[in-house]
Amino acid sequence: MPSVRHVSHAFLQRQGLTTVFGNPGSNELPFLAELPDSFRYVLGLHEGAVVGMADGYAQATGRPVLVNLHAASGSGNAMGTLTNAVASRTPLVIVAGQQVRSAIGPESHLSIVDAPALMKPLVGWAAEPACAQDVPRALAQAVFEARLQRRPTFLSVPYDDWAADAGDNSAAVLDRQVRRCSAPGPDQADALVEQVRAARRPALVLGGDIDSAGLFDDAVRLAERLECPVWAAPSLFRLPFPNRHPQFRGVLPAGIAPVAKAFEGHDLVLVLGAPVFRYHEYLPGRYLPEGTRLLQVTDDASAVARAPMGEALVADPAAVIELLVEALDAPAAPTAAYRPVPEPPGARGPLLHPEQVFAALRDELPEDTSYVVESTSTNAAWWRQMDLRRPGSYYFPAAGGLGFGLPGAVGVALARPDRPVVGVIGDGSANYGITALWTAAQHRVPVTIVLLRNGTYGALRWFGDLLGVPDAPGMDIPGMDFTRIAEGYGVSARHAGDVEELRAVLAERPDGPRLVQVDTALTTPS
Ligand code: TZD
Ligand code: CA
């Protein structure tokens, strides 16, 4: 009779979950015993970095990824970065160890009574199997729930379960195949096409899901047929559309009143692959202007249910884009030229303007570079200078939880050795996931971290003004040299003192990780 461990490993192999991101403890060791050679264990030194790397990896591959965490303390450490994976709908499958079954009730060391409750507010599904023989099936459920719901899941397994006999039926999970399709039926499709055709001044709003689902180029085709303005949904975490396309109007501001203002004069706003909406700054007002209808299309039923306004269709955006592209005429005129980039402002003494840094990235790095950005006060400067035309070009912490960026860049680079990967990371943000540098060094991950050092939590200064709190303590973070920190973790590092030096460093093509630190002037996010 095979063991629970044997069947579970075989299931993970069949489903392709063989790259495991983790940080183990004693409870987890029995799961890791006899791990077949086809598995790759990517060790992270802190659970926040583990989840950030796994999130980047899962987003860049588009597949569920196994995360191996220690019981309560380890899983708890992961919660901050896990908020991002929830908002980006990343299918992370977290498996944590638990004390042996008989030791849970008496609350022995390293046991956690009701382990699933710890993670439940964030994950889409959490469980501890009721008996050892249910572990393989429960593991399969964790993988399938993550895929079908597009949300992280959590499984707690008492460590004496792994060596137990799996039972006669458990091998049945090995042959399971789970697929989903959700195209609109003919009546829904006709109604949708009619509604879009009847619109006099439509607008398109695209969410990060468009890029996650591989629909970046399809969205361009649809927009060019609609010949309408295109926005990215607020609180963007993936770029769904080329940012210098003549129809692109930018990322919608994340406030109720400014979103409504952007929609003025449009009779139909078609939102594809986004919640409606992830506002941030509380700027109250009417949700929509008079006479504007909003139609949301997403496969995320929960995003539809919680939206405060609009009509909605729960369907696969891919199917909807396809049917609209087929139903609409090809554009009458060729698309206008892409918008040119402006000249960046000059340096302020020894401090580079962030736009100069981004212009250097744009010019010196290949067009297919993937950027993982966690630098908050430089958001407007970023979009002014960048020219991103490829799918998978841009990743940002989806819930705004710092600690995704640096590990996320390592995860994306591990997933996509075929593309250059650059993390654009603030001196504040870097510290929440700094230990991922060690993993990058150990695996010789070819990732470049561009570290923007302005000595402060720039975005919080801006928020302080917005909220009428100009004098809050805890805003400045002087005295850190990230070249020395990086070298301590085994990553080669340089400080670039001016634009020429930065451009020269970026033009090199190293085959391992590196960090480039630049001192930058403070700008505002918008
Ligand atoms: N902690 C976590 C985990 N996430 C957060 N978002 C914050 C704290 C609060 N926070 C922000 O929302 S932005 C920010 C903080 C501390 C400043 C980030 O500083 P930075 O970037 O140096 O990375 P800028 O460009 O200087 O703002
Ligand atoms: Ca900063």
Side-chain angles (χ1 to χ4, degrees), residues 80-81 280 374-379 399-403 425-430 432 452-461 463 474 477 522-523 525:
T81 23
H280 181 187
E374 197 170 280
S375 167
T376 45
S377 67
T378 54
N379 192 42
L402 304 179
I425 312 291
D427 52 354
S429 297
Y432 300 86
L452 304 174
R453 188 169 69 161
N454 60 9
T456 185
Y457 287 149
L460 299 192
R461 295 192 161 274
F463 247 105
I477 49 170
L522 184 58
T523 53

